[in-house]
Amino acid sequence: MTLTPKTTRDAASLATQSDEDLLIRYRDTGDVAAFETLVHRYERPLFSYLVRYLRNPSLAEEVFQGTFLRLHEKCHQFTPDRQVRPWLYSIATHLAIDALRKEGQQPTTSLDQQVSDAESDVGALLDILGTRPPTPLEQLEAEEQAEWARRAVDALPDPLRQVILLAYFQGLKFREVAEILQLPLGTVKSRLHKALAMLHAAWEKEYAGSRASS
């Protein structure tokens, strides 16, 4: 199909609009192009999150489609004082949890009694893992670092893995993660600190093992 100048201008105009403006436009006018722009904007990051969370691409695709179907069904509930991104990830996360339960996988729900609240934000995942120089991280190539991080994060308990995937791999703010998971901000931060402590311990153990055998 050849786009007319007007169609091209409309597409360009939609691409510059905020998530909130796009959803409100779809809610109020039924503009399918606005909704499609929103889907396209989140296609890669949201699907990537679901694949990492569910560890099943076909199930992730099903939940991804269900997420936007739910967004379509609930768009009339959206108000201008809200943000689309945390709402969208909240829908996706809850549908993913339901999908795991249907598959016979029961997510762990609470580790909070094991961790203390954190008052300050934490830095980037790999920065924190490398806070004790020299570390093995500094001796590995980028691909090896990424592979280790994937394996280590996948081994975390689900409540900790959730916050790592949302905060670090999706780049969501802590308050957005709290909204998505319907948790207090302090609980999100405490889970992050617990997860990072476990990752750092795993990294130290792996490094110590390799150093002892060398």
Side-chain angles (χ1 to χ4, degrees), residues 68-87:
F68 280 96
L69 176 61
R70 187 69 57 85
L71 187 69
H72 157 74
E73 293 171 344
K74 292 181 174 291
C75 68
H76 65 280
Q77 299 178 4
F78 185 76
T79 54
D81 60 318
R82 302 183 67 180
Q83 288 186 308
V84 169
R85 185 166 73 159
W87 191 35

Side-chain angles (χ1 to χ4, degrees), residues 143-154:
E143 290 184 3
E144 294 173 318
Q145 296 173 13
E147 176 58 28
W148 182 89
R150 280 192 292 270
R151 287 188 286 107
V153 169
D154 284 346

Side-chain angles (χ1 to χ4, degrees), residues 152-171:
V153 169
D154 284 346
L156 290 171
D158 273 348
L160 305 186
R161 194 166 63 91
Q162 277 182 334
V163 294
I164 288 290
L165 292 179
L166 290 168
Y168 289 107
F169 289 90
Q170 295 302 310

Side-chain angles (χ1 to χ4, degrees), residues 5-6 8 14 65 92 107 115 169 187 191 207:
K6 181 180 184 301
T8 302
L14 289 173
Q65 297 295 338
V115 295
F169 289 90
T187 300
R191 289 187 182 186
Y207 175 53

